[in-house]
C-alpha cells in the first residue's frame, strides 16, 4: 500500500510538473505573440506615417492646401476679433498655425504662446510692411497636446497697442522627440543666449525623420517632417524661400507660410550628402555621390541644382582633381547616404562646403583631415591650397600645396562644419576659418597611416579621456600661412558635429555622438547645454537661426 501511495504521489507530481511546463511554454508563446503583434503594429504605424509624409511632399498636396485655405479665407470674417486660424495646413510643421485677419488700422503683430509648465514664447510676426492692415503669417511655438493661450499684441505706428487672446490645444507630435530637453547646464540669470531657434539637423532614425526647432529654454517649437535621411542646413534665398534637403534625392523651397513652393528630385545620377550652399545666382551647389560608378567611389563629387528649372549638373569630380591620391588609397568605406550599400570607396569624404564671393570654395575632407581651397569652382575648378597635416599627402604633387602652419598647435583630425568668416578689419587676402575639430585620427582607405603624427589626436572611437575641439584659424593667403587664434575643448565626438559663432558673441557647439549641444563663451566657458535622446547614433548638426525676415520680423 505504501509503495502504491508513493507511485500515485509521483504520478501526480509528474502531471503537475507537465502542467506547469505547459503553462510556461504557453506563456512564452503568448509573450512572443504579443511581441510580434506589437512589432507589426509599430511597423504599420511607420508605414502609414511614411506614406502620409510622402503625400505632403507633392505639388498636388501643396496646391490642394492652397485651394482649401483660399476657400476658408473667402467665407471667414477674418477680423481681429474672429481670426482665421488653421492648424498646419501644408503639413510641414506639426505644431504650427496659419493665421489670417484684417484690421481697420495699420498695425504690427506680435504674439506670446503660454502653456502651463513651460517658458513663454514671444515673437513678432513677419509682415512685408512693419505696419499693415492685412495680416497673414505662420505662428510657431505651440506645446503639443496641452492648452496653449496665445496673446496677440497689435501695435500701431503711434505706439498704441491692444491685445486679443485665443486658446488652442497643440497638435500631437508625429515623432517621439522630447517637448522639454534636459538642460545639463542651465544659463545663469540674465545670461544672453540670443533669441534664435536651434535647428536639430539629423537626429537620424530607423522610423520617420524630422528636423526640430528648440528655443533657448530647450522647449520644442517646431517639428518639420522630412522624407528620410536628414536636412543639413537651412538656406534663405532672395525670393523668400527657405531651402533644405528632405532626403538624399530631394531639395525643397518652403515659403513663409509653410508651403513647399519648390520640390525637386535630383534625378538618377546624383544623391546629395552632408552639405550645400547658395551661389550668387541663387542656385544650390551641393556635395554629392555619383550613382552607378564602376569604381563605387562615394562622397567625392560637387553638383549644382538650378533652383529655377530643377536641372542638376556636374561641377567637380574630386576623383579627377586628385586622381593620383585616390589611386593610392585602399578600396574601402561606407556610403552614409545609403547604409545598405556594399563595397563603397570613401577615399575623401567631403563633409562641408563654403562658397566665397570671388567664386572660390572651401571644403572639409574628413578622410584626409584636410581643408581644401578650390578656385573658380563653377567655371574652371583648380586647386589653390590645402590646410592640415601635410604628410597625409606625402608622395603626391598636392603635398606642395599646403599652407605653412605658424605657431605651436595641433592640426585637425576629421574636422566638420568649417566656416569661412570675412572680416573688414583684416587686410585683403586674410580671413578667419573656424570648425569643429573631431580630433579623431582614422581612415579606412589609409589603414597604415600613423595618425599619431598629429600631437594629441585620439585614435580611439570610444574614449573617456579624449576631447574634441573648437578651433579658429587666421588664414593669410598672401603669406601662405595659417595661425590658430582660438581653441577650447568640447565633448568628444569622433564623427559628425558642428560649430557656429552666434551674433551674441557665443559659440554653439554640437557634440553629435554625445547628443549634447550648447553655447560657450569665446574663452570656452560652457554657458548652457542641452541633452537630446538619440534616435539611433548621433545628432548630425545643430545650427541656430533667428528666422528674421522669414517667420519673424
Amino acid at each position: 500500500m505504501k509503495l502504491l501511495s508513493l507511485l500515485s504521489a509521483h504520478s501526480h507530481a509528474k502531471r503537475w510538473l507537465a502542467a506547469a511546463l505547459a503553462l510556461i511554454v504557453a506563456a512564452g508563446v503568448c509573450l512572443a505573440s504579443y511581441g510580434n503583434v506589437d512589432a507589426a503594429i509599430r511597423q504599420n504605424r511607420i508605414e502609414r506615417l511614411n506614406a502620409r509624409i510622402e503625400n505632403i511632399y507633392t505639388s498636388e498636396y501643396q496646391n490642394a492646401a492652397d485651394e482649401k485655405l483660399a476657400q476658408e479665407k473667402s467665407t471667414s470674417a477674418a477680423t481681429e476679433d474672429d481670426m482665421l486660424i488653421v492648424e498646419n495646413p501644408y503639413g510641414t510643421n506639426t505644431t504650427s498655425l496659419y493665421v489670417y485677419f484684417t484690421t481697420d488700422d495699420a498695425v504690427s503683430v506680435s504674439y506670446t504662446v503660454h502653456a502651463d509648465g513651460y517658458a513663454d514664447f514671444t515673437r513678432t510676426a513677419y509682415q512685408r510692411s512693419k505696419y499693415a492692415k492685412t495680416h497673414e503669417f505662420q505662428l510657431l511655438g505651440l506645446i503639443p497636446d496641452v492648452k496653449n493661450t496665445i496673446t496677440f499684441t497689435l501695435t500701431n505706428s503711434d505706439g498704441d497697442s491692444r491685445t486679443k487672446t485665443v486658446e488652442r490645444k497643440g497638435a500631437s507630435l508625429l515623432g517621439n522627440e522630447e517637448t522639454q530637453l534636459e538642460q545639463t547646464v542651465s544659463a545663469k540669470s540674465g545670461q544672453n543666449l540670443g533669441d534664435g531657434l536651434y535647428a536639430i539637423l539629423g537626429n537620424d532614425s530607423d522610423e520617420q525623420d524630422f528636423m526640430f526647432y528648440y528655443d533657448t529654454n530647450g522647449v520644442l517649437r517646431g517639428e518639420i517632417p522630412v522624407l528620410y535621411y536628414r536636412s543639413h542646413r537651412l538656406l534663405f534665398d532672395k525670393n523668400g524661400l527657405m531651402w533644405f534637403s528632405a532626403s538624399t534625392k530631394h531639395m525643397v523651397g518652403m515659403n513663409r507660410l509653410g508651403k513647399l513652393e519648390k520640390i525637386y528630385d535630383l534625378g538618377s545620377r546624383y544623391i546629395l550628402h552632408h552639405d550645400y550652399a547658395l551661389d550668387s545666382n541663387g542656385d544650390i551647389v551641393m556635395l554629392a555621390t555619383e550613382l552607378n560608378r564602376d569604381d563605387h567611389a562615394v562622397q567625392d563629387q560637387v553638383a549644382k541644382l538650378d533652383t529655377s528649372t530643377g536641372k542638376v549638373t556636374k561641377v567637380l569630380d574630386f576623383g579627377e582633381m586628385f586622381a593620383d591620391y585616390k589611386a593610392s588609397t585602399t578600396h574601402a568605406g561606407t556610403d552614409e547616404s545609403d547604409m545598405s550599400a556594399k563595397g563603397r570607396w570613401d577615399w575623401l569624404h567631403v563633409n562641408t562646403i563654403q562658397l566665397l564671393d570671388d567664386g572660390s570654395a572651401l571644403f572639409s575632407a574628413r578622410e584626409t583631415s584636410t581643408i581644401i581651397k578650390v578656385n573658380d569652382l563653377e567655371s574652371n575648378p583648380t586647386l589653390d591650397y590645402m590646410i592640415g597635416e601635410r604628410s597625409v599627402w606625402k608622395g603626391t604633387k598636392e603635398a606642395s600645396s599646403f599652407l605653412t602652419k605658424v605657431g605651436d598647435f595641433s592640426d585637425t583630425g576629421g574636422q566638420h562644419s568649417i566656416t569661412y568668416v570675412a572680416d573688414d578689419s583684416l587686410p585683403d587676402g586674410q580671413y578667419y576659418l573656424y570648425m569643429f575639430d573631431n580630433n579623431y585620427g582614422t581612415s579606412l582607405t589609409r589603414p597604415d597611416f600613423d595618425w599619431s603624427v598629429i600631437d594629441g589626436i585620439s585614435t580611439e572611437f570610444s574614449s573617456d579621456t579624449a576631447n574634441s575641439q573648437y578651433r579658429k584659424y587666421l588664414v593669410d593667403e598672401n603669406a601662405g600661412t595659417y595661425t590658430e587664434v582660438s581653441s577650447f575643448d568640447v565633448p568628444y565626438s569622433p564623427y559628425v558635429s558642428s560649430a557656429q559663432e552666434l551674433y551674441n558673441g557665443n559659440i554653439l557647439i554640437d557634440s553629435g555622438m554625445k547628443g549634447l549641444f550648447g553655447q560657450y563663451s569665446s574663452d570656452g566657458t560652457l554657458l548652457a547645454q542641452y541633452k537630446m535622446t538619440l534616435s539611433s547614433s548621433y545628432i548630425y548638426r545643430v545650427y541656430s537661426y533667428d528666422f528674421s525676415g522669414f517667420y519673424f520680423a
Side-chain angles (χ1 to χ4, degrees), residues 257-274:
L257 301 178
K259 180 186 177 182
L260 298 174
E261 289 193 6
K262 305 272 189 173
I263 305 172
Y264 287 137
D265 187 313
L266 302 182
S268 60
R269 184 175 180 183
Y270 294 107
I271 55 175
L272 67 85
H273 74 95
H274 288 350

Side-chain angles (χ1 to χ4, degrees), residues 17 26 177 206 217 225 229 258 298 443 495 521:
L17 179 60
E177 67 276 12
D206 295 329
N217 293 297
Y229 195 41
V298 297
S443 174
Y495 286 140
S521 65

Side-chain angles (χ1 to χ4, degrees), residues 65-330:
D66 254 354
E67 293 174 6
K68 186 176 180 181
L69 273 183
Q71 184 178 17
E72 290 180 294
K73 286 166 66 175
S74 68
T75 58
S76 170
T79 65
E80 63 183 77
D81 294 315
D82 188 12
M83 301 175 184
L84 173 61
I85 300 177
V86 181
E87 182 181 286
N88 186 24
Y90 298 102
T92 53
N93 190 337
T94 308
T95 58
S96 69
L97 299 175
Y98 167 87
V99 179
Y100 176 80
F101 64 97
T102 60
T103 50
D104 292 334
D105 56 339
V107 297
S108 66
V109 181
S110 62
Y111 60 85
T112 296
V113 178
H114 170 81
D116 290 347
Y118 298 92
D120 287 352
F121 183 75
T122 300
R123 292 294 187 273
T124 299
Y126 173 80
Q127 300 182 144
R128 295 188 184 278
S129 299
K130 183 175 181 180
Y131 301 102
K133 294 183 178 181
T134 300
H135 315 279
E136 185 179 36
F137 55 90
Q138 184 177 180
L139 185 150
L140 271 61
L142 270 69
I143 303 300
D145 297 320
V146 301
K147 183 180 76 173
N148 291 262
T149 302
I150 307 166
T151 302
F152 295 92
T153 301
L154 314 182
T155 305
N156 64 27
S157 58
D158 293 329
D160 298 328
S161 64
R162 56 192 184 272
T163 61
K164 305 293 177 180
T165 301
V166 299
E167 292 183 351
R168 302 284 296 205
K169 182 178 180 181
S172 297
L173 298 175
L174 301 180
N176 301 311
E177 67 276 12
E178 301 113 310
T179 301
Q180 174 72 67
L181 294 180
E182 176 188 351
Q183 296 189 57
T184 56
V185 175
S186 298
K188 294 179 180 178
S189 178
Q191 178 68 57
N192 177 23
L193 297 181
D195 58 0
L197 294 177
Y198 302 123
I200 311 299
L201 304 161
N203 190 355
D204 297 4
S205 171
D206 295 329
E207 299 184 4
Q208 175 64 46
D209 290 303
F210 299 90
M211 172 171 60
F212 309 112
Y213 300 151
Y214 282 89
D215 66 19
T216 55
N217 293 297
V219 179
L220 180 72
R221 300 301 179 181
E223 179 195 65
I224 296 84
V226 297
L227 290 166
Y228 59 89
Y229 195 41
R230 66 177 82 103
S231 303
H232 296 81
R233 70 168 75 234
L234 304 178
L235 305 175
F236 299 87
D237 71 13
K238 296 177 182 179
N239 300 313
L241 295 184
M242 179 177 78
W243 289 88
F244 57 93
S245 58
S247 77
T248 58
K249 293 185 67 64
H250 293 86
M251 289 295 303
V252 299
M254 179 192 291
N255 71 18
R256 297 178 176 96
L257 301 178
K259 180 186 177 182
L260 298 174
E261 289 193 6
K262 305 272 189 173
I263 305 172
Y264 287 137
D265 187 313
L266 302 182
S268 60
R269 184 175 180 183
Y270 294 107
I271 55 175
L272 67 85
H273 74 95
H274 288 350
D275 209 4
Y276 36 78
L278 277 174
D279 69 8
S280 58
N281 295 319
D283 296 326
I284 296 175
V285 182
M286 66 186 73
L287 304 180
T289 288
E290 187 174 20
L291 300 172
N292 305 315
R293 292 180 62 96
D294 291 338
D295 65 1
H296 301 297
V298 297
Q299 296 165 155
D300 62 350
Q301 306 287 313
V302 183
K304 180 169 69 173
L305 171 69
D306 186 315
T307 55
S308 296
T309 66
K311 182 180 179 181
V312 179
T313 55
K314 174 182 175 178
V315 173
L316 171 62
D317 180 346
F318 277 110
E320 295 176 358
M321 176 174 281
F322 301 134
D324 291 342
Y325 178 84
K326 177 181 175 181
S328 73
T329 63
T330 299

Side-chain angles (χ1 to χ4, degrees), residues 248-428:
T248 58
K249 293 185 67 64
H250 293 86
M251 289 295 303
V252 299
M254 179 192 291
N255 71 18
R256 297 178 176 96
L257 301 178
K259 180 186 177 182
L260 298 174
E261 289 193 6
K262 305 272 189 173
I263 305 172
Y264 287 137
D265 187 313
L266 302 182
S268 60
R269 184 175 180 183
Y270 294 107
I271 55 175
L272 67 85
H273 74 95
H274 288 350
D275 209 4
Y276 36 78
L278 277 174
D279 69 8
S280 58
N281 295 319
D283 296 326
I284 296 175
V285 182
M286 66 186 73
L287 304 180
T289 288
E290 187 174 20
L291 300 172
N292 305 315
R293 292 180 62 96
D294 291 338
D295 65 1
H296 301 297
V298 297
Q299 296 165 155
D300 62 350
Q301 306 287 313
V302 183
K304 180 169 69 173
L305 171 69
D306 186 315
T307 55
S308 296
T309 66
K311 182 180 179 181
V312 179
T313 55
K314 174 182 175 178
V315 173
L316 171 62
D317 180 346
F318 277 110
E320 295 176 358
M321 176 174 281
F322 301 134
D324 291 342
Y325 178 84
K326 177 181 175 181
S328 73
T329 63
T330 299
H331 197 121
T334 58
D335 182 356
E336 292 185 0
S337 302
D338 180 6
M339 293 304 291
S340 64
K342 305 295 183 184
R344 296 309 188 228
W345 191 5
D346 189 14
W347 65 276
L348 191 64
H349 198 105
V350 186
N351 61 38
T352 316
I353 179 172
Q354 292 280 282
L355 297 182
L356 280 60
D357 290 341
D358 64 359
S360 62
L362 287 161
F363 298 90
S364 167
R366 190 194 74 187
E367 272 291 289
T368 60
S369 296
T370 309
I371 296 163
I372 302 166
K373 171 81 178 301
V374 174
N375 285 332
D376 302 319
L377 175 65
E378 296 186 54
S379 55
N380 181 35
T382 56
L383 175 64
D384 190 354
Y385 56 77
M386 297 198 281
I387 297 173
E389 176 52 49
R390 187 189 306 257
S391 65
V392 177
W393 295 73
K394 184 179 180 180
T396 70
K397 62 182 180 181
E398 287 81 23
S400 62
S401 301
F402 278 78
L403 299 188
T404 300
K405 179 169 62 176
V406 176
D408 183 18
F409 58 92
S410 299
D411 278 306
T412 60
Q415 71 291 323
H416 281 71
S417 186
I418 67 168
T419 303
Y420 167 85
V421 182
D423 190 319
D424 292 339
S425 69
L426 296 174
D428 290 344

